[in-house]
């Protein structure tokens, strides 16, 4: 590739600086660069604080999930309740329907 095909990024209209570039010590930059860097530093600090809040929230959710019933425990509970209902129904049949059937004429 020849050097004639290489262009500076600043030559592209999309990336050209809005203000004249200062060619002083430290490289080319515009006068508002320090303000933009300070603003960027502030935004990064806010993002860091938000990430910390998200980590704390995730920790709380993980702690609460340890106390949530699993599918197995819910199934065991449903089976126990159904067995109790069936047992109560069988007892009622024996107590009330049995004597009635015993007194019917043959």
């Amino acid at each position: 590739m020849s050097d004639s095909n290489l262009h500076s990024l600043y030559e592209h209209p999309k990336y050209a600086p809005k203000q004249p570039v200062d060619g002083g010590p430290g490289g080319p930059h515009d006068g508002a660069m320090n303000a933009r860097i300070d603003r960027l530093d502030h935004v990064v600090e806010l993002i860091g604080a938000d990430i910390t809040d998200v980590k704390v929230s995730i920790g709380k959710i993980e702690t609460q999930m340890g106390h949530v019933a699993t599918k197995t425990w819910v199934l065991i509970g449903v089976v126990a309740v159904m067995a109790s209902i069936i047992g109560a129904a069988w007892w009622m049949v024996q107590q009330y329907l049995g004597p009635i059937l015993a007194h019917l004429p043959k």
Side-chain angles (χ1 to χ4, degrees):
M1 185 180 256
S2 68
D3 289 336
S4 64
N5 290 335
L6 297 177
H7 300 284
S8 171
L9 186 62
Y10 290 116
E11 293 175 13
H12 191 280
K14 181 177 179 182
Y15 300 110
K18 307 289 187 271
Q19 300 172 351
V21 175
D22 178 15
H29 62 277
D30 60 18
M33 183 179 290
N34 287 335
R36 289 196 316 263
I37 290 173
D38 290 340
R39 197 170 45 235
L40 182 61
D41 284 340
H42 178 69
V43 169
V44 169
E45 287 175 9
L46 293 176
I47 291 171
D50 289 343
I51 289 173
T52 302
D53 292 343
V54 168
K55 287 180 180 179
V56 169
S57 297
I58 289 173
K60 289 179 182 177
I61 291 170
E62 287 176 347
T63 302
Q64 291 174 353
M65 290 301 292
H67 303 294
V68 174
T70 61
K71 291 179 185 176
T72 304
W73 284 109
V74 171
L75 181 63
I76 290 171
V78 168
V79 168
V81 169
M82 292 301 294
S84 299
I85 291 172
I86 291 171
W90 183 250
W91 179 82
M92 289 180 8
V93 166
Q94 287 179 342
Q95 295 297 317
Y96 296 109
L97 194 56
I100 293 173
L101 292 176
H103 287 84
L104 287 177
K106 293 186 179 188

